Amino acid sequence: MRAASLLFAALLSEAAARYTPDWTSLDARPLPAWYDEAKVGIFIHWGVFSVPGFQSEWFWWHWQGEDPPDPVCVKFMSENYRPGFSYPEFAPEFHAQFFNPEEWAEIFQASGAKYVVLTAKHHEGFTNWGSPNSWNWNSMNVGPHRDLVGELGEAVRNRSLHYGLYNSLYEWFNPLYLTDKKNGFKTQEFVTNKLLPELYNMVVRYRPELLWSDGDWEAPDTYWHSTEFLSWLYNDSPVKDVIVTNDRWGAGCACKHGGYYNCEDKYTPGQLPDHKWEKCTSVDTRSWGYRRNMKLHELMDLTTIVKDLVSTVALGGNYLLNVGPTPDGTIPAVFEERLRGLGAWLQVNGEAIYASKPWRIQTENSTIPVWYTSKGSSVYAILTTDPPRPSLQLLEPKTSAGTKVTLLGFSLPLSWSPLQPSGGLAILLPNLPFIPGQAWTLKLEGVQ
């Protein structure tokens, strides 16, 4: 009898834990722990837009979607392609002949990232896998004739990195979508016959641990059937226990509903938010996709990337750094250099980043900018500019008789003295070498 009661209670508990297709229920789902602990991810924008490699991944829209079209894009096409050339004709030139997923995965691992997010489908509608709902407009039927999503996923997971997929809800020129749009989104032919079957198939086939939704803003979440899809994703999908989602599921959802918050591209809050968030940004400050004519001064340097990462993590966010591969399937050397530089910094300072939590104070700027993180009983003070010599003052930590200060990368403890009874300390710094892009991390134990 007792066993039967326990079984009934377990079944009742399981039923109660199911999420219903409404935001109140879905927003209450706890975020899987791996995501907050990971902190650092790599974003990859790769598709047919990489072939023209001009202006940005929005090239097709700027050329033929805007009214009037962007004259810069019109001029580019008229000067470089025959009259009547159509955007789909770029697809056969998306060869990916040098794409080596193992090489990519090694670079991402070397960057210190813990998760990787690949564009499975951008707004152009081309899928980087053999979608049965995207006939002759996918990487198996045209261009690479390869399953790019599957190949990279296997290589990434072989290096114990989490794998996520970006998916655009809308498609600029899909006839079904344009018909629904013309009807004020009162019809849902595109969602019923294209979007949802493709999403379900992609999740079941590739089992992503993160689903990065985008392209939602033209229609409400009711048009996209977002709550119904998310309830399936959280309740019954093969990744229901590990899947992480963002907040782009319909007009007005950003920074309000979903899993973690993106809010907007390159979002940077001024203070500690009360909800888990992610900053997505790109090494190329002018584009997410590959640009053949990018200039060095338009790229984030290593110093900027490290500072951006540190401030993001100190404010409780994750940092998703984007690179745009070439249509040949290579990661430009300048991007690789940035990623490996970031990884070298994280090898020394990652203790203050991975699985860290915001401290009671996130930043101070008494003598130089300092950002704080914490882990267990340890507090980390990250100096994002070259510190003064020979000593540095920190005003916020409250010391005790057992306070110990070390510098990550150095083995010996540092000498320190209290500034005042209420708190603060002056730390005697060693002779630090100059390293481009460096930010130094002090580990404080026995402080409050």
Side-chain angles (χ1 to χ4, degrees), residues 120-127 129 131-135 165-172 174-178 180 185 187-204 211-230 232-233 246 248-251:
K121 184 193 74 172
H122 201 256
H123 311 321
E124 63 187 12
F126 185 91
T127 65
W129 55 287
S131 168
N133 304 97
S134 190
W135 181 80
L165 295 174
Y166 165 109
N167 180 78
S168 173
L169 296 179
Y170 88 145
E171 298 174 17
W172 288 318
N174 187 297
L176 294 177
Y177 179 73
L178 293 178
D180 287 347
F185 300 111
T187 58
Q188 297 175 320
E189 293 300 313
F190 172 74
V191 175
T192 302
N193 297 297
K194 175 65 162 69
L195 173 65
L196 287 180
E198 192 165 77
L199 266 177
Y200 286 119
N201 186 282
M202 186 181 76
V203 169
V204 171
L211 191 54
W212 214 101
S213 182
D214 197 15
D216 61 314
W217 51 82
E218 288 191 347
D221 62 269
T222 50
Y223 169 73
W224 304 115
H225 284 234
S226 295
T227 56
E228 290 84 356
F229 172 74
L230 289 173
W232 170 81
L233 193 66
N246 65 344
R248 301 186 184 189
W249 295 101

Side-chain angles (χ1 to χ4, degrees), residues 281-444:
T281 192
S282 187
V283 176
D284 181 354
T285 61
R286 297 196 175 187
S287 177
W288 301 85
Y290 172 67
R291 287 190 305 137
R292 289 184 283 174
N293 60 337
M294 64 182 175
K295 303 294 190 296
L296 189 62
H297 71 268
E298 297 167 341
L299 309 182
M300 294 174 68
D301 60 24
L302 181 57
T303 299
T304 301
I305 291 170
V306 170
K307 288 181 178 180
D308 208 22
L309 164 67
V310 168
S311 62
T312 296
V313 173
L315 290 172
N318 275 29
Y319 193 66
L320 187 63
L321 183 63
N322 178 79
V323 293
T326 70
D328 298 329
T330 63
I331 296 174
V334 67
F335 292 163
E336 179 181 349
E337 184 267 345
R338 299 293 194 273
L339 296 186
R340 292 190 184 276
L342 176 60
W345 184 83
L346 284 166
Q347 277 192 328
V348 176
N349 300 275
E351 179 183 337
I353 300 296
Y354 304 122
S356 66
K357 299 291 183 183
W359 194 43
R360 61 174 177 84
I361 299 295
Q362 288 77 60
T363 187
E364 71 165 84
N365 192 12
S366 55
T367 51
I368 63 169
V370 177
W371 291 92
Y372 290 101
T373 64
S374 66
K375 187 185 298 181
S377 60
S378 299
V379 174
Y380 300 90
I382 308 175
L383 321 177
T384 54
T385 60
D386 202 33
R389 306 293 192 278
S391 67
L392 168 74
Q393 292 185 355
L394 298 178
L395 302 181
E396 293 297 337
K398 298 177 181 179
T399 61
S400 66
T403 295
K404 178 183 176 182
V405 181
T406 53
L407 185 67
L408 296 189
F410 290 75
S411 57
L412 298 177
L414 305 183
S415 299
W416 66 274
S417 58
L419 287 179
Q420 51 191 356
S422 60
L425 69 166
I427 303 166
L428 186 63
L429 297 174
N431 186 20
L432 301 175
F434 173 76
I435 303 176
Q438 183 62 286
W440 301 96
T441 303
L442 295 166
K443 181 178 181 179
L444 312 176

